[in-house]
Amino acid sequence: MPLNLKLKLLFTDRIGIVADVAALIAENSLNIISMEVERKDNRAEVWLEAENSEHTPVREDVFRMLGKIPDLREISFVRTLPHEERENRFRVVLDNISDGVISVDRDGNITIINRIARKILNCENSEVIGKEIKSLNLSDPTILECLNGKRFTNVKKNLINRKGRFQFFATGRPINDSSGRIMGAVEIGKDMKEIKMLAQSVSQPDFVTFSEFIGESPSVSEAISFAQKIAVTDSVVSIRGESGTGKELFAGAIHSESGREGAFVPVNCAALPESLLESELFGYVGGAFTGAGKQGKSGLFETASNGTVFLDEIGEMPPGPQAKMLRVIQERKVRRIGGTKEIPVNARIITATNRNLEQLVKKKQFREDLYYRINVLPIHIPPLRERGEDIPILAEHFLFQLGTRLGKDAQFLTKTALNKLCRHNWPGNVRELKNVIERAAILCDAEQIGADHILFSFEVGKSMEGMKNRIHPVGSDSHSLRALLDVYEKQIVTEALEKSDSIRKAAKFLGISHTTLMNKLKKHSVTMQKKAGFSS
Ligand SMILES: Nc1ncnc2c1ncn2[C@@H]1O[C@H](COP(=O)(O)OP(=O)(O)O)[C@@H](O)[C@H]1O
Ligand SMILES: [Mg+2]
């Protein structure tokens, strides 16, 4: 097959270029397939695709032929024309969106069908483009109704083909040309499965991913990339790090990354007394102990079926539950308290502690065998003071989060505020930073948050002193709001009277009526200091 000719011609702009090019091409028995003209300043770019059905034109002949056109400055062969590039780009975009898109011309012939639509309709691009949509034998080709001007939005549809069953929400629109005539129609289908997944991800409040675990320091990046690698395995993960370094958040992100469909179930081993911890973790059968309900209760390992159990502060776990945990990990089974039935456990276990487990083992406060079982994939999250470079991005992250929550305009930290943050030692780690930022954002009404608004916990007490004086004005020993307001009121009316030379003026100044002010003066037994010329 002869090859088509694709050319770019650059002219000094003038009238009649296109006519000249077209005439020459025709004279030389070439057929124009497409021609585009773009004018820039005083230049005109002509892009041309032409064919000769018998032979591929010889380059030199073409140059000689077109070289005759007046005002031609440059001529070159190209691989793709601008419209082809636009189409390619458009196709890549269309093929990479998660909705199915199909469009037809005014005769109902398919003009566009993207990757998802091809998948749903089980066909190849080349085989259907240009064909009538009717040939696809769709049970309800509603898109054709759009050619009569109909529109529909999110109509539930079912489609069954060799590849399976698809459920989607379809939206259809006519496509109009600039004068409003219908020149085709488009239908967009949203996969129901995807919508369900999205709905789930936004309705789960503690659905966190690694993109929300902020930090770019090498130690944090390393921890994240290690965690991403091992997320899909079933092995026990042990997260170590000081309090407030983000261990729980990190565990949640591992759970998300693992793709497990079950829940993320956190348990704080330090917060519950031994017997309650056991019944929470493993559940109990009806009547297992005094107070146990009749029907019994499932344990958290059952709740976290196909999910993750996060054992926080595992270093504080008492010996009884430690022994039971060892069994759960070794045998992957639990027995409810008082029960005999073995229930298989498929929950992933992630543990966390800020304690030195090795020392606890030495002191016989933590079982050595359990220590080895949980220490399969250890991850260390370093304290904030060892990764100062993360402070600015964390601060910015919390400010942004808070702005969204409080509905405030975006706030920024000044350089001095940031310097103050960076000089701090952060014994409470990221949790402390989050609190400091929250306090600053609330105290500061301006867009710029300065160093004065950055208060560490040891400074909060001092700055509250001033507040206390305001809340407890001199002359009050009561805490009731009414009593405090009365003290204020007395101060305010007295001051207003001192500043004005008549009660009328004082009332006006305070924005109240003369009578109201008179009543208040009586109530607080404020008497007028006689001034020269004073009148009421
Ligand atoms: N790297 C981080 N990025 C964003 N938020 C974080 C990060 N680390 C900690 N936080 C936040 O700080 C607080 C304390 O984190 P948490 O996971 O409870 O710490 P830990 O379990 O280590 O005591 C939480 O509000 C958490 O969302
Ligand atoms: Mg914690």
Side-chain angles (χ1 to χ4, degrees), residues 212-214 243-249 394 398 430-431 434:
E212 283 140 276
F213 194 89
I214 308 301
S243 180
T245 46
K247 298 185 290 297
E248 183 157 355
L249 190 70
L394 276 165
F398 292 134
V430 184
R431 181 178 293 119
K434 191 175 177 180

Side-chain angles (χ1 to χ4, degrees), residues 283-525:
Y284 50 82
V285 296
F289 48 85
T290 342
K294 260 208 193 112
Q295 312 86 341
K297 189 175 168 274
S298 58
L300 294 176
F301 276 99
E302 289 172 70
T303 310
S305 167
N306 287 322
T308 303
V309 170
F310 174 58
L311 299 171
D312 201 2
E313 310 209 28
I314 194 159
E316 320 301 320
M317 190 180 261
Q322 277 188 36
K324 290 209 166 99
M325 268 314 302
L326 186 67
R327 243 180 60 90
V328 171
I329 297 177
Q330 276 172 344
E331 295 165 29
R332 302 241 111 223
K333 281 181 194 133
V334 274
R335 222 182 283 154
R336 289 190 185 179
I337 296 168
T340 49
K341 205 173 93 185
E342 306 250 71
I343 303 164
V345 166
N346 62 10
R348 206 272 172 78
I349 298 168
I350 301 181
T351 71
T353 184
N354 56 7
R355 301 284 301 271
N356 183 331
L357 282 183
E358 293 72 19
Q359 244 169 38
L360 292 179
V361 168
K362 253 192 220 141
K363 287 198 270 175
K364 304 245 178 287
Q365 285 167 11
F366 199 83
R367 292 180 70 116
E368 192 172 9
D369 42 11
L370 182 59
Y371 168 78
Y372 285 113
R373 284 285 172 180
I374 62 167
N375 214 25
V376 184
L377 297 173
I379 295 176
H380 174 65
I381 305 189
L384 191 55
R385 64 180 166 281
E386 286 173 17
R387 46 185 170 108
E389 65 261 54
D390 286 342
I391 294 171
I393 40 170
L394 276 165
E396 203 174 290
H397 169 73
F398 292 134
L399 261 184
F400 178 79
Q401 250 188 0
L402 217 76
T404 325
R405 214 177 74 205
L406 302 176
K408 271 190 169 190
D409 285 341
Q411 286 178 302
F412 304 93
L413 292 164
T414 61
K415 243 204 163 102
T416 44
L418 209 58
N419 283 341
K420 185 167 178 187
L421 290 177
C422 291
R423 279 196 309 268
H424 187 59
N425 193 39
W426 301 110
N429 290 298
V430 184
R431 181 178 293 119
E432 182 187 358
L433 175 60
K434 191 175 177 180
N435 290 340
V436 167
I437 295 293
E438 199 154 309
R439 200 148 51 217
I442 290 169
L443 287 177
C444 174
D445 289 323
E447 188 184 83
Q448 297 258 342
I449 296 179
D452 301 351
H453 291 109
I454 302 292
L455 299 173
F456 302 119
S457 36
F458 57 86
E459 291 170 310
V460 175
K462 265 189 262 165
S463 88
M464 290 304 269
E465 283 296 310
M467 290 277 277
K468 236 188 322 196
N469 281 341
R470 258 193 281 146
I471 290 172
H472 290 275
V474 194
S476 139
D477 45 20
S478 168
H479 289 272
S480 92
L481 180 62
R482 189 67 260 160
L484 290 171
L485 287 176
D486 278 348
V487 176
Y488 267 130
E489 193 176 77
K490 183 172 177 179
Q491 274 179 13
I492 291 165
V493 293
T494 312
E495 261 171 47
L497 271 188
E498 279 167 12
K499 278 187 200 139
S500 318
D501 47 15
S502 75
I503 291 182
R504 209 165 292 282
K505 279 188 187 156
K508 196 168 175 203
F509 171 76
L510 292 171
I512 54 178
S513 73
H514 183 258
T515 333
T516 311
L517 181 56
M518 287 301 280
N519 288 340
K520 292 202 184 294
L521 294 178
K522 210 187 290 164
K523 173 176 151 196
H524 297 299
S525 324

Side-chain angles (χ1 to χ4, degrees), residues 233-251:
T233 67
D234 289 333
S235 309
V236 183
V237 178
S238 156
I239 306 178
R240 309 279 291 265
E242 289 177 14
S243 180
T245 46
K247 298 185 290 297
E248 183 157 355
L249 190 70
F250 200 88

Side-chain angles (χ1 to χ4, degrees), residues 178-241:
S178 54
S179 55
R181 274 190 306 255
I182 294 175
M183 49 182 282
V186 61
E187 181 170 327
I188 296 168
K190 286 184 197 299
D191 186 1
M192 202 94 87
K193 234 193 285 172
E194 190 141 343
I195 294 176
K196 277 187 189 152
M197 260 163 55
L198 276 176
Q200 209 177 7
S201 73
V202 289
S203 61
Q204 277 180 354
D206 45 7
F207 190 89
V208 286
T209 62
F210 278 115
S211 66
E212 283 140 276
F213 194 89
I214 308 301
E216 287 170 354
S217 54
S219 52
V220 166
S221 308
E222 220 169 273
I224 292 177
S225 65
F226 176 73
Q228 284 174 322
K229 257 185 235 141
I230 53 92
V232 290
T233 67
D234 289 333
S235 309
V236 183
V237 178
S238 156
I239 306 178
R240 309 279 291 265

Side-chain angles (χ1 to χ4, degrees), residues 80-95:
T80 46
L81 299 180
H83 78 91
E84 289 177 306
E85 245 180 72
R86 281 195 297 273
E87 268 164 41
N88 278 343
R89 228 175 285 151
F90 181 58
R91 200 173 16 242
V92 171
V93 172
L94 269 184
D95 282 346

